[in-house]
Structure formats: structure tokens, C-alpha cells
């Protein structure tokens, strides 16, 4: 994975192998042509391990590997001081639609859309710990492929492995949001230490 998205900020989420559910997340700044570590934290991945993004199947609890943009931030808690990202507050009407039959597939909706079944959507306010603060990972986002997966975020740790997201401690999530600058086009690279999904070249 030699590409970094062309920006001057990068987050790497690296697991030791595709069957791992834990690893390390590091955020980097490009300074004078070199990537310099700005911070790091232990990370958690999907309970099903990691799989190449283009081969992912919805409902497998796998974290998609690849390079993704970070469209916007959101949270139940207010944004930390210094946040420059667009930050959407979670309300009791906030849903993330994961219904393959819905026109709102893999999108935030204020009010559950009529064609999105509640059983196939996340009521964001129900995840008080995980969605205290989060960044949307642009997996399957710009042109969603039905059945590939929806609602992949970088968020605060819950009780254990995720359902496909990447999670970190609350303190790390706050630090990332205060650091990330959309003008510097940050991306996240999700991968493994070796093999075809390895993170290299940054």
C-alpha cells in the first residue's frame, strides 16, 4: 500500500495478520518530505478479522483493508477543543442506514427513512461509548456497492472487538480529532504487517 492519498496527514491502522482483532493505530504528519509520528494507540478491529475491502461481504464483522478518506466526524459528546473537522452531533433521530434495499444505504439519516428498516440500521444514540466521538471511514461510501458493507467508522472502544470498524481508547479518539485537519486531506490506511494487505511505503 504505497499510496497515502496525497495529503499531508495519514492514519495507519495495522494488525499483525488478517485473523487478528487487535493492533496499533498511528497518526502521522508529513514534514519536509518525511512522515513523522504524531501519536499512537492500541486499536481494535472486527471480530471476524480483516479482509480486502473490495472482497468484503456485509455482516461478516470484518474490517476492510485499504486506503480511505475520512469524510466527516460525529459524536454524542461535543467535539474536543481544536477540532476543525465538520462534526455532526448525534441526536435521538440520528440513524446510519445499512439496509441494502434503501436509497439511504450507507448514509446518515436524521429520522429513519421510510425505506430503511430499523432492524437494518444503527440508531447512533444507542452506542453511548463507541459513538461518543468518531470519524466516518470512506469505505464503500462514494459509490456504495450493495452487500459490501455500511457504517465503517473510527470510533471509541466498546467492550471488545468491533463489528468491522476500527476503535481506539477515548483519549486517543479525542487527540485524533484535535489533530486532524481536513485542509491537509487526511486518510486512513488499514492493513496488516505483511502479505497482500500490508501497510508499506509511507
Amino acid at each position: 500500500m504505497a499510496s497515502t492519498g496525497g495529503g499531508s496527514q495519514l492514519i495507519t491502522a495495522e494488525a499483525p495478520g488478517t485473523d487478528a482483532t487487535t493492533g496499533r493505530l498511528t497518526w502521522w504528519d508529513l514534514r519536509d518530505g518525511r512522515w513523522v509520528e504524531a501519536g499512537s494507540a492500541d486499536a481494535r478491529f472486527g471480530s471476524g478479522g480483516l479482509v480486502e475491502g473490495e472482497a468484503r461481504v456485509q455482516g461478516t464483522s470484518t474490517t476492510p483493508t485499504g486506503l480511505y478518506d475520512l469524510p466527516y466526524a460525529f459524536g454524542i459528546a461535543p467535539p474536543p477543543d481544536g477540532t476543525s473537522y465538520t462534526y455532526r452531533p448525534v441526536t435521538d433521530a440520528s440513524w446510519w442506514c445499512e439496509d441494502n434495499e434503501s436509497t439511504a444505504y450507507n448514509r446518515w439519516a436524521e429520522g429513519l427513512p421510510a425505506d430503511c428498516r430499523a432492524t437494518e440500521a444503527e440508531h447512533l444514540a444507542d452506542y453511548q461509548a463507541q459513538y461518543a466521538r468518531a470519524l466516518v471511514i470512506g469505505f464503500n461510501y462514494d459509490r456504495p456497492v450493495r452487500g459490501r458493507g455500511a457504517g465503517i467508522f473510527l470510533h471509541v472502544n466498546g467492550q471488545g472487538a468491533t463489528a468491522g470498524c476500527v476503535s481506539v481508547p477515548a483519549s486517543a479518539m479525542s487527540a485524533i480529532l484535535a489533530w486532524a485537519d481536513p485542509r491537509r486531506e487526511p486518510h486512513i490506511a488499514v492493513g496488516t504487517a505483511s502479505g497482500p494487505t500490508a501497510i508499506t511505503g509511507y
Side-chain angles (χ1 to χ4, degrees):
M1 188 184 299
S3 174
T4 60
S8 59
Q9 288 187 326
L10 178 68
I11 300 170
T12 56
E14 186 176 74
T18 55
D19 58 348
T21 59
T22 60
R24 194 74 180 169
L25 185 135
T26 308
W27 48 109
W28 308 82
D29 288 306
L30 184 62
R31 298 178 186 166
D32 299 322
R34 293 180 57 248
W35 287 102
V36 179
E37 182 178 322
S40 67
D42 290 335
R44 297 175 182 173
F45 301 99
S47 60
L50 293 84
V51 69
E52 187 176 344
E54 291 185 357
R56 187 178 187 271
V57 175
Q58 185 164 327
T60 55
S61 295
T62 50
T63 297
T65 64
L67 181 73
Y68 305 106
D69 63 358
L70 300 159
Y72 60 91
F74 68 92
I76 294 168
D81 290 345
T83 300
S84 58
Y85 244 80
T86 298
Y87 191 92
R88 296 189 71 165
V90 173
T91 74
D92 196 50
S94 301
W95 294 79
W96 196 276
C97 182
E98 299 174 1
D99 190 335
N100 281 284
E101 304 302 317
S102 175
T103 55
Y105 179 67
N106 204 19
R107 288 292 184 270
W108 177 300
E110 278 299 301
L112 186 66
D115 67 349
C116 184
R117 293 167 289 175
T119 55
E120 299 293 325
E122 284 192 359
H123 185 230
L124 299 179
D126 290 347
Y127 299 86
Q128 292 287 317
Q130 295 96 318
Y131 298 157
R133 290 177 174 140
L135 271 164
V136 176
I137 294 176
F139 166 73
N140 201 30
Y141 189 77
D142 288 338
R143 296 179 180 178
V145 175
R146 312 284 166 155
R148 184 165 288 170
I152 301 297
F153 311 126
L154 172 60
H155 63 67
V156 175
N157 285 338
Q159 303 247 331
T162 73
C165 296
V166 180
S167 74
V168 292
S171 57
M173 194 69 237
S174 295
I176 290 165
L177 286 173
W179 160 85
D181 183 347
R183 295 169 298 183
R184 296 178 63 189
E185 301 179 30
H187 286 67
I188 185 168
V190 182
T192 57
S194 61
T197 58
I199 298 176
T200 60
Y202 58 92

